[in-house]
Amino acid sequence: QVQLVESGGGLVQAGGSLRLSCAASGSIFSTYAMAWYRQAPGKQRELVARISTNSNTNYADSVKGRFTISKDNAKNTVYLQMNSLKPEDTAVYYCNKYPTYWYNNWGQGTQVTVSS
């Protein structure tokens, strides 16, 4: 299966910005919808943003207006631009296909920590 590697996380102050990247080992974004998910300690993994094969996007209410998902099919990379970050955005962020099922694998993710 195609491997997905997340990067770009880090420590940022509230109100700051980060740009996450998700690099795929193969060309899949023209075939599958993709999404960013996140999981905070003690909480269930949640859908943050998704992008269809034709680049239509959808966002969780909690990040709408602050986050932007995009992709570059030629580079096999999905991005998540995160602006106006809040402490509650602190989580490990993952990319994967949308939707996911019980059999889907997950990568390492990238840690985003927002300090107040």
Short mmCIF file of all heavy atoms in Angstrom, two decimals, residues 42-99:
data_model
loop_
_atom_site.label_atom_id
_atom_site.label_comp_id
_atom_site.label_asym_id
_atom_site.label_seq_id
_atom_site.Cartn_x
_atom_site.Cartn_y
_atom_site.Cartn_z
N GLY A 42 -6.11 11.46 25.10
CA GLY A 42 -7.34 11.11 25.76
C GLY A 42 -8.59 11.32 24.93
O GLY A 42 -9.70 11.13 25.44
N LYS A 43 -8.42 11.70 23.68
CA LYS A 43 -9.57 11.96 22.83
C LYS A 43 -9.55 11.06 21.60
O LYS A 43 -8.52 10.52 21.22
CB LYS A 43 -9.62 13.42 22.40
CG LYS A 43 -9.84 14.41 23.54
CD LYS A 43 -10.01 15.82 23.01
CE LYS A 43 -10.29 16.79 24.14
NZ LYS A 43 -10.46 18.18 23.62
N GLN A 44 -10.70 10.92 21.00
CA GLN A 44 -10.84 10.14 19.79
C GLN A 44 -10.27 10.90 18.60
O GLN A 44 -10.32 12.12 18.55
CB GLN A 44 -12.32 9.82 19.57
CG GLN A 44 -12.62 8.91 18.41
CD GLN A 44 -14.09 8.55 18.35
OE1 GLN A 44 -14.67 8.12 19.36
NE2 GLN A 44 -14.70 8.71 17.19
N ARG A 45 -9.73 10.15 17.66
CA ARG A 45 -9.27 10.77 16.42
C ARG A 45 -10.45 11.41 15.70
O ARG A 45 -11.53 10.82 15.61
CB ARG A 45 -8.59 9.73 15.53
CG ARG A 45 -8.05 10.30 14.23
CD ARG A 45 -7.45 9.20 13.36
NE ARG A 45 -6.19 8.70 13.91
CZ ARG A 45 -6.02 7.46 14.33
NH1 ARG A 45 -6.99 6.57 14.27
NH2 ARG A 45 -4.83 7.09 14.81
N GLU A 46 -10.26 12.61 15.21
CA GLU A 46 -11.33 13.32 14.54
C GLU A 46 -10.91 13.81 13.17
O GLU A 46 -9.73 14.08 12.91
CB GLU A 46 -11.81 14.50 15.39
CG GLU A 46 -10.77 15.60 15.58
CD GLU A 46 -11.30 16.82 16.30
OE1 GLU A 46 -12.52 17.06 16.24
OE2 GLU A 46 -10.49 17.53 16.93
N LEU A 47 -11.88 13.96 12.31
CA LEU A 47 -11.65 14.50 10.98
C LEU A 47 -11.51 16.01 11.07
O LEU A 47 -12.35 16.68 11.68
CB LEU A 47 -12.81 14.13 10.06
CG LEU A 47 -12.78 14.69 8.65
CD1 LEU A 47 -11.62 14.12 7.85
CD2 LEU A 47 -14.10 14.39 7.94
N VAL A 48 -10.47 16.55 10.47
CA VAL A 48 -10.21 17.97 10.49
C VAL A 48 -10.61 18.62 9.17
O VAL A 48 -11.31 19.64 9.14
CB VAL A 48 -8.73 18.27 10.78
CG1 VAL A 48 -8.45 19.77 10.69
CG2 VAL A 48 -8.35 17.74 12.15
N ALA A 49 -10.15 18.05 8.08
CA ALA A 49 -10.41 18.61 6.76
C ALA A 49 -10.26 17.52 5.72
O ALA A 49 -9.48 16.58 5.91
CB ALA A 49 -9.46 19.77 6.45
N ARG A 50 -10.99 17.65 4.63
CA ARG A 50 -10.87 16.68 3.56
C ARG A 50 -10.90 17.38 2.21
O ARG A 50 -11.42 18.49 2.08
CB ARG A 50 -11.97 15.62 3.64
CG ARG A 50 -13.39 16.16 3.64
CD ARG A 50 -14.37 15.01 3.88
NE ARG A 50 -15.72 15.48 4.17
CZ ARG A 50 -16.71 15.55 3.28
NH1 ARG A 50 -16.49 15.19 2.01
NH2 ARG A 50 -17.91 15.97 3.63
N ILE A 51 -10.33 16.71 1.23
CA ILE A 51 -10.27 17.26 -0.11
C ILE A 51 -10.55 16.14 -1.10
O ILE A 51 -9.98 15.06 -1.02
CB ILE A 51 -8.91 17.94 -0.38
CG1 ILE A 51 -8.91 18.62 -1.75
CG2 ILE A 51 -7.75 16.96 -0.24
CD1 ILE A 51 -7.75 19.60 -1.92
N SER A 52 -11.45 16.40 -2.01
CA SER A 52 -11.85 15.40 -2.98
C SER A 52 -10.86 15.32 -4.12
O SER A 52 -9.93 16.12 -4.24
CB SER A 52 -13.25 15.72 -3.51
OG SER A 52 -13.21 16.86 -4.36
N THR A 53 -11.08 14.36 -5.00
CA THR A 53 -10.21 14.21 -6.15
C THR A 53 -10.24 15.43 -7.06
O THR A 53 -9.25 15.73 -7.73
CB THR A 53 -10.58 12.97 -6.96
OG1 THR A 53 -11.97 13.03 -7.33
CG2 THR A 53 -10.34 11.70 -6.15
N ASN A 54 -11.36 16.13 -7.06
CA ASN A 54 -11.46 17.35 -7.87
C ASN A 54 -11.26 18.61 -7.04
O ASN A 54 -11.63 19.71 -7.46
CB ASN A 54 -12.78 17.39 -8.64
CG ASN A 54 -14.02 17.47 -7.77
OD1 ASN A 54 -15.10 17.69 -8.28
ND2 ASN A 54 -13.88 17.29 -6.47
N SER A 55 -10.67 18.44 -5.84
CA SER A 55 -10.23 19.53 -4.98
C SER A 55 -11.35 20.27 -4.26
O SER A 55 -11.12 21.37 -3.74
CB SER A 55 -9.35 20.53 -5.74
OG SER A 55 -8.16 19.90 -6.16
N ASN A 56 -12.53 19.71 -4.20
CA ASN A 56 -13.54 20.26 -3.30
C ASN A 56 -13.12 19.98 -1.87
O ASN A 56 -12.56 18.92 -1.57
CB ASN A 56 -14.91 19.64 -3.57
CG ASN A 56 -15.52 20.14 -4.85
OD1 ASN A 56 -15.24 21.24 -5.32
ND2 ASN A 56 -16.39 19.33 -5.45
N THR A 57 -13.38 20.91 -0.98
CA THR A 57 -12.91 20.79 0.40
C THR A 57 -14.05 20.86 1.40
O THR A 57 -15.13 21.40 1.12
CB THR A 57 -11.88 21.89 0.72
OG1 THR A 57 -12.48 23.18 0.53
CG2 THR A 57 -10.67 21.76 -0.17
N ASN A 58 -13.77 20.33 2.58
CA ASN A 58 -14.72 20.34 3.67
C ASN A 58 -13.94 20.38 4.97
O ASN A 58 -12.88 19.77 5.08
CB ASN A 58 -15.62 19.10 3.61
CG ASN A 58 -16.80 19.19 4.55
OD1 ASN A 58 -16.74 18.72 5.68
ND2 ASN A 58 -17.87 19.81 4.08
N TYR A 59 -14.48 21.09 5.97
CA TYR A 59 -13.77 21.31 7.21
C TYR A 59 -14.65 21.05 8.42
O TYR A 59 -15.86 21.26 8.38
CB TYR A 59 -13.25 22.75 7.29
CG TYR A 59 -12.32 23.11 6.18
CD1 TYR A 59 -12.81 23.67 5.00
CD2 TYR A 59 -10.95 22.90 6.29
CE1 TYR A 59 -11.95 24.00 3.96
CE2 TYR A 59 -10.09 23.23 5.26
CZ TYR A 59 -10.59 23.78 4.10
OH TYR A 59 -9.74 24.11 3.08
N ALA A 60 -14.01 20.62 9.48
CA ALA A 60 -14.70 20.56 10.76
C ALA A 60 -15.04 21.97 11.20
O ALA A 60 -14.31 22.92 10.94
CB ALA A 60 -13.82 19.88 11.80
N ASP A 61 -16.17 22.10 11.87
CA ASP A 61 -16.59 23.43 12.32
C ASP A 61 -15.54 24.10 13.19
O ASP A 61 -15.38 25.33 13.16
CB ASP A 61 -17.90 23.33 13.09
CG ASP A 61 -19.09 23.03 12.20
OD1 ASP A 61 -18.99 23.25 10.97
OD2 ASP A 61 -20.12 22.59 12.72
N SER A 62 -14.81 23.32 13.95
CA SER A 62 -13.84 23.87 14.88
C SER A 62 -12.65 24.53 14.19
O SER A 62 -11.95 25.34 14.81
CB SER A 62 -13.33 22.77 15.82
OG SER A 62 -12.73 21.72 15.10
N VAL A 63 -12.41 24.21 12.93
CA VAL A 63 -11.27 24.78 12.22
C VAL A 63 -11.67 25.60 11.02
O VAL A 63 -10.81 26.23 10.38
CB VAL A 63 -10.27 23.69 11.77
CG1 VAL A 63 -9.88 22.81 12.94
CG2 VAL A 63 -10.86 22.84 10.64
N LYS A 64 -12.93 25.63 10.71
CA LYS A 64 -13.42 26.36 9.54
C LYS A 64 -13.04 27.83 9.61
O LYS A 64 -13.22 28.48 10.64
CB LYS A 64 -14.93 26.19 9.42
CG LYS A 64 -15.51 26.63 8.08
CD LYS A 64 -16.99 26.23 7.98
CE LYS A 64 -17.16 24.72 8.04
NZ LYS A 64 -18.58 24.31 7.90
N GLY A 65 -12.49 28.33 8.53
CA GLY A 65 -12.05 29.70 8.48
C GLY A 65 -10.63 29.91 8.93
O GLY A 65 -10.07 30.99 8.72
N ARG A 66 -10.03 28.90 9.54
CA ARG A 66 -8.67 29.00 10.03
C ARG A 66 -7.71 28.06 9.28
O ARG A 66 -6.55 28.40 9.09
CB ARG A 66 -8.60 28.68 11.52
CG ARG A 66 -9.44 29.62 12.38
CD ARG A 66 -9.18 29.38 13.86
NE ARG A 66 -9.58 28.03 14.27
CZ ARG A 66 -8.76 27.14 14.79
NH1 ARG A 66 -7.47 27.43 14.98
NH2 ARG A 66 -9.21 25.94 15.16
N PHE A 67 -8.20 26.90 8.90
CA PHE A 67 -7.38 25.90 8.23
C PHE A 67 -7.76 25.81 6.75
O PHE A 67 -8.92 26.00 6.38
CB PHE A 67 -7.57 24.51 8.85
CG PHE A 67 -7.02 24.36 10.24
CD1 PHE A 67 -6.55 25.44 10.97
CD2 PHE A 67 -6.98 23.10 10.81
CE1 PHE A 67 -6.05 25.28 12.25
CE2 PHE A 67 -6.49 22.93 12.10
CZ PHE A 67 -6.02 24.01 12.81
N THR A 68 -6.78 25.47 5.93
CA THR A 68 -7.01 25.27 4.51
C THR A 68 -6.28 24.01 4.05
O THR A 68 -5.07 23.89 4.24
CB THR A 68 -6.51 26.46 3.68
OG1 THR A 68 -7.17 27.66 4.12
CG2 THR A 68 -6.83 26.23 2.20
N ILE A 69 -7.03 23.10 3.47
CA ILE A 69 -6.43 21.89 2.92
C ILE A 69 -6.25 22.08 1.42
O ILE A 69 -7.11 22.66 0.75
CB ILE A 69 -7.29 20.64 3.23
CG1 ILE A 69 -6.56 19.36 2.78
CG2 ILE A 69 -8.67 20.74 2.58
CD1 ILE A 69 -7.26 18.07 3.23
N SER A 70 -5.14 21.60 0.90
CA SER A 70 -4.88 21.69 -0.52
C SER A 70 -4.01 20.51 -0.92
O SER A 70 -3.52 19.76 -0.07
CB SER A 70 -4.19 23.02 -0.88
OG SER A 70 -2.94 23.13 -0.22
N LYS A 71 -3.81 20.34 -2.20
CA LYS A 71 -2.97 19.25 -2.66
C LYS A 71 -2.28 19.59 -3.96
O LYS A 71 -2.71 20.47 -4.71
CB LYS A 71 -3.79 17.96 -2.83
CG LYS A 71 -4.87 18.04 -3.91
CD LYS A 71 -5.57 16.70 -4.08
CE LYS A 71 -6.62 16.77 -5.18
NZ LYS A 71 -7.21 15.43 -5.45
N ASP A 72 -1.20 18.90 -4.20
CA ASP A 72 -0.45 19.02 -5.43
C ASP A 72 -0.30 17.60 -5.96
O ASP A 72 0.56 16.84 -5.49
CB ASP A 72 0.90 19.67 -5.19
CG ASP A 72 1.65 19.96 -6.48
OD1 ASP A 72 1.45 19.25 -7.48
OD2 ASP A 72 2.46 20.91 -6.49
N ASN A 73 -1.14 17.23 -6.90
CA ASN A 73 -1.12 15.87 -7.41
C ASN A 73 0.23 15.50 -8.03
O ASN A 73 0.70 14.37 -7.89
CB ASN A 73 -2.23 15.67 -8.45
CG ASN A 73 -3.61 15.66 -7.84
OD1 ASN A 73 -3.77 15.76 -6.62
ND2 ASN A 73 -4.62 15.53 -8.68
N ALA A 74 0.84 16.44 -8.72
CA ALA A 74 2.12 16.18 -9.37
C ALA A 74 3.21 15.86 -8.36
O ALA A 74 4.12 15.09 -8.64
CB ALA A 74 2.53 17.37 -10.23
N LYS A 75 3.12 16.47 -7.18
CA LYS A 75 4.10 16.23 -6.13
C LYS A 75 3.66 15.16 -5.14
O LYS A 75 4.38 14.85 -4.20
CB LYS A 75 4.40 17.52 -5.38
CG LYS A 75 5.08 18.59 -6.22
CD LYS A 75 5.39 19.82 -5.39
CE LYS A 75 6.12 20.86 -6.22
NZ LYS A 75 6.44 22.07 -5.43
N ASN A 76 2.47 14.63 -5.35
CA ASN A 76 1.92 13.61 -4.45
C ASN A 76 1.94 14.09 -3.00
O ASN A 76 2.32 13.35 -2.09
CB ASN A 76 2.68 12.30 -4.58
CG ASN A 76 2.56 11.69 -5.96
OD1 ASN A 76 1.50 11.75 -6.58
ND2 ASN A 76 3.64 11.10 -6.44
N THR A 77 1.51 15.32 -2.80
CA THR A 77 1.57 15.93 -1.48
C THR A 77 0.26 16.64 -1.17
O THR A 77 -0.28 17.36 -2.01
CB THR A 77 2.73 16.93 -1.38
OG1 THR A 77 3.95 16.26 -1.69
CG2 THR A 77 2.82 17.50 0.03
N VAL A 78 -0.23 16.44 0.05
CA VAL A 78 -1.39 17.15 0.57
C VAL A 78 -0.90 18.08 1.67
O VAL A 78 -0.02 17.72 2.45
CB VAL A 78 -2.44 16.17 1.12
CG1 VAL A 78 -3.61 16.93 1.73
CG2 VAL A 78 -2.94 15.25 0.02
N TYR A 79 -1.49 19.26 1.74
CA TYR A 79 -1.07 20.26 2.70
C TYR A 79 -2.22 20.65 3.61
O TYR A 79 -3.39 20.54 3.25
CB TYR A 79 -0.57 21.52 1.99
CG TYR A 79 0.53 21.27 1.00
CD1 TYR A 79 0.25 21.11 -0.35
CD2 TYR A 79 1.86 21.19 1.41
CE1 TYR A 79 1.26 20.88 -1.27
CE2 TYR A 79 2.87 20.97 0.49
CZ TYR A 79 2.57 20.81 -0.85
OH TYR A 79 3.58 20.59 -1.75
N LEU A 80 -1.86 21.12 4.78
CA LEU A 80 -2.83 21.72 5.68
C LEU A 80 -2.23 23.01 6.21
O LEU A 80 -1.30 22.98 7.03
CB LEU A 80 -3.20 20.79 6.83
CG LEU A 80 -4.30 21.31 7.75
CD1 LEU A 80 -5.63 21.38 7.01
CD2 LEU A 80 -4.43 20.44 9.00
N GLN A 81 -2.72 24.12 5.72
CA GLN A 81 -2.31 25.42 6.23
C GLN A 81 -3.14 25.73 7.46
O GLN A 81 -4.37 25.78 7.38
CB GLN A 81 -2.49 26.50 5.17
CG GLN A 81 -2.10 27.90 5.62
CD GLN A 81 -0.63 28.03 5.91
OE1 GLN A 81 0.20 27.60 5.10
NE2 GLN A 81 -0.28 28.61 7.05
N MET A 82 -2.48 25.95 8.57
CA MET A 82 -3.15 26.16 9.84
C MET A 82 -2.83 27.56 10.34
O MET A 82 -1.69 27.86 10.67
CB MET A 82 -2.69 25.12 10.87
CG MET A 82 -2.76 23.69 10.35
SD MET A 82 -1.85 22.52 11.40
CE MET A 82 -2.84 22.55 12.87
N ASN A 83 -3.83 28.41 10.37
CA ASN A 83 -3.68 29.78 10.83
C ASN A 83 -4.48 30.00 12.11
O ASN A 83 -5.39 29.24 12.43
CB ASN A 83 -4.14 30.76 9.76
CG ASN A 83 -3.34 30.68 8.49
OD1 ASN A 83 -2.13 30.41 8.51
ND2 ASN A 83 -3.99 30.92 7.36
N SER A 84 -4.15 31.07 12.80
CA SER A 84 -4.86 31.43 14.03
C SER A 84 -4.99 30.25 14.97
O SER A 84 -6.06 29.96 15.50
CB SER A 84 -6.25 32.00 13.68
OG SER A 84 -6.14 33.12 12.83
N LEU A 85 -3.89 29.58 15.18
CA LEU A 85 -3.90 28.36 15.98
C LEU A 85 -4.29 28.64 17.43
O LEU A 85 -3.94 29.68 17.99
CB LEU A 85 -2.55 27.68 15.92
CG LEU A 85 -2.29 26.92 14.62
CD1 LEU A 85 -0.81 26.65 14.43
CD2 LEU A 85 -3.08 25.62 14.62
N LYS A 86 -4.99 27.69 18.00
CA LYS A 86 -5.46 27.77 19.36
C LYS A 86 -4.90 26.60 20.16
O LYS A 86 -4.58 25.56 19.60
CB LYS A 86 -7.00 27.71 19.41
CG LYS A 86 -7.69 28.76 18.58
CD LYS A 86 -9.20 28.52 18.58
CE LYS A 86 -9.92 29.56 17.76
NZ LYS A 86 -11.39 29.32 17.74
N PRO A 87 -4.79 26.75 21.47
CA PRO A 87 -4.30 25.63 22.28
C PRO A 87 -5.10 24.35 22.07
O PRO A 87 -4.52 23.26 22.12
CB PRO A 87 -4.45 26.15 23.71
CG PRO A 87 -4.28 27.62 23.58
CD PRO A 87 -4.95 27.97 22.28
N GLU A 88 -6.38 24.46 21.82
CA GLU A 88 -7.20 23.28 21.60
C GLU A 88 -6.91 22.58 20.28
O GLU A 88 -7.44 21.49 20.03
CB GLU A 88 -8.70 23.61 21.71
CG GLU A 88 -9.11 24.83 20.91
CD GLU A 88 -9.17 26.09 21.75
OE1 GLU A 88 -8.21 26.37 22.48
OE2 GLU A 88 -10.19 26.81 21.67
N ASP A 89 -6.09 23.18 19.43
CA ASP A 89 -5.65 22.52 18.21
C ASP A 89 -4.50 21.56 18.47
O ASP A 89 -4.10 20.82 17.56
CB ASP A 89 -5.20 23.55 17.17
CG ASP A 89 -6.34 24.42 16.68
OD1 ASP A 89 -7.45 23.90 16.45
OD2 ASP A 89 -6.12 25.64 16.50
N THR A 90 -3.96 21.58 19.67
CA THR A 90 -2.86 20.70 20.02
C THR A 90 -3.27 19.24 19.85
O THR A 90 -4.25 18.79 20.43
CB THR A 90 -2.40 20.96 21.45
OG1 THR A 90 -1.88 22.28 21.55
CG2 THR A 90 -1.32 19.96 21.86
N ALA A 91 -2.51 18.52 19.04
CA ALA A 91 -2.83 17.13 18.74
C ALA A 91 -1.76 16.57 17.82
O ALA A 91 -0.92 17.31 17.30
CB ALA A 91 -4.21 17.02 18.07
N VAL A 92 -1.82 15.27 17.61
CA VAL A 92 -1.04 14.65 16.56
C VAL A 92 -1.91 14.66 15.30
O VAL A 92 -3.06 14.21 15.34
CB VAL A 92 -0.62 13.22 16.91
CG1 VAL A 92 0.14 12.60 15.74
CG2 VAL A 92 0.24 13.22 18.16
N TYR A 93 -1.36 15.18 14.23
CA TYR A 93 -2.10 15.29 12.98
C TYR A 93 -1.67 14.21 12.01
O TYR A 93 -0.48 13.98 11.80
CB TYR A 93 -1.88 16.68 12.37
CG TYR A 93 -2.66 17.76 13.07
CD1 TYR A 93 -2.30 18.17 14.35
CD2 TYR A 93 -3.76 18.37 12.47
CE1 TYR A 93 -3.02 19.15 15.01
CE2 TYR A 93 -4.49 19.35 13.11
CZ TYR A 93 -4.11 19.74 14.38
OH TYR A 93 -4.83 20.72 15.04
N TYR A 94 -2.65 13.59 11.40
CA TYR A 94 -2.42 12.50 10.46
C TYR A 94 -3.11 12.81 9.13
O TYR A 94 -4.15 13.46 9.10
CB TYR A 94 -3.01 11.19 10.98
CG TYR A 94 -2.54 10.74 12.33
CD1 TYR A 94 -3.16 11.17 13.49
CD2 TYR A 94 -1.47 9.85 12.45
CE1 TYR A 94 -2.74 10.74 14.74
CE2 TYR A 94 -1.05 9.42 13.68
CZ TYR A 94 -1.69 9.86 14.83
OH TYR A 94 -1.26 9.43 16.06
N CYS A 95 -2.54 12.30 8.07
CA CYS A 95 -3.25 12.31 6.80
C CYS A 95 -3.59 10.89 6.41
O CYS A 95 -2.93 9.94 6.81
CB CYS A 95 -2.45 13.01 5.70
SG CYS A 95 -0.92 12.18 5.21
N ASN A 96 -4.65 10.75 5.66
CA ASN A 96 -5.07 9.44 5.20
C ASN A 96 -6.13 9.64 4.13
O ASN A 96 -6.57 10.76 3.87
CB ASN A 96 -5.61 8.60 6.34
CG ASN A 96 -5.29 7.12 6.18
OD1 ASN A 96 -5.30 6.59 5.06
ND2 ASN A 96 -5.01 6.44 7.28
N LYS A 97 -6.54 8.56 3.54
CA LYS A 97 -7.64 8.62 2.60
C LYS A 97 -8.93 8.98 3.34
O LYS A 97 -9.03 8.86 4.56
CB LYS A 97 -7.81 7.28 1.88
CG LYS A 97 -6.64 6.89 1.01
CD LYS A 97 -6.97 5.70 0.13
CE LYS A 97 -7.25 4.46 0.94
NZ LYS A 97 -7.52 3.28 0.08
N TYR A 98 -9.90 9.43 2.58
CA TYR A 98 -11.22 9.68 3.13
C TYR A 98 -12.24 8.93 2.31
O TYR A 98 -12.24 9.05 1.08
CB TYR A 98 -11.57 11.17 3.14
CG TYR A 98 -12.95 11.42 3.68
CD1 TYR A 98 -13.17 11.55 5.04
CD2 TYR A 98 -14.04 11.49 2.82
CE1 TYR A 98 -14.44 11.73 5.54
CE2 TYR A 98 -15.32 11.67 3.32
CZ TYR A 98 -15.51 11.79 4.68
OH TYR A 98 -16.77 11.97 5.17
N PRO A 99 -13.15 8.22 2.98
CA PRO A 99 -13.12 7.91 4.41
C PRO A 99 -12.14 6.80 4.73
O PRO A 99 -11.59 6.17 3.84
CB PRO A 99 -14.56 7.49 4.67
CG PRO A 99 -14.95 6.79 3.39
CD PRO A 99 -14.31 7.60 2.30
#
